[in-house]
Amino acid sequence: MGLLVGLPLGIFRLLFGLLMLALRLAVPIAVIALLVTLYRRSRNGGAGQPRREKPGEPEFDGPVYTVDYEEVDEDGK
């Protein structure tokens, strides 16, 4: 009778120990990942501001007109 009670309790104790080990590893990793994410977000100026691809490019409020150039010969004709 002792084997029928002791074996399941030993298995549960082993599983509980593994669960506690996983939590001891996962919680600090999750906290560190959260802190790194918050730090990077604060360094980039927050999530509410749009990120510029090229900071040297001017911004236009209106339409931008382009010109199609025709192919010309070297003679200028």
Side-chain angles (χ1 to χ4, degrees):
M1 189 61 124
L3 187 62
L4 292 176
V5 174
L7 184 62
L9 289 178
I11 292 173
F12 286 136
R13 185 174 55 204
L14 178 68
L15 291 176
F16 184 73
L18 291 174
L19 179 66
M20 286 294 112
L21 178 65
L23 285 177
R24 285 181 186 169
L25 293 175
V27 170
I29 290 172
V31 169
I32 290 170
L34 178 69
L35 290 176
V36 168
T37 302
L38 291 175
Y39 176 73
R40 285 184 177 181
R41 185 175 288 180
S42 70
R43 297 274 299 179
N44 289 337
Q49 296 178 352
R51 188 181 299 177
R52 287 186 173 178
E53 302 268 335
K54 298 177 183 176
E57 292 290 323
E59 293 183 12
F60 297 101
D61 291 332
V64 177
Y65 299 101
T66 60
V67 177
D68 289 334
Y69 293 99
E70 294 180 17
E71 294 289 328
V72 295
D73 296 332
E74 290 182 12
D75 298 335
K77 294 182 184 177

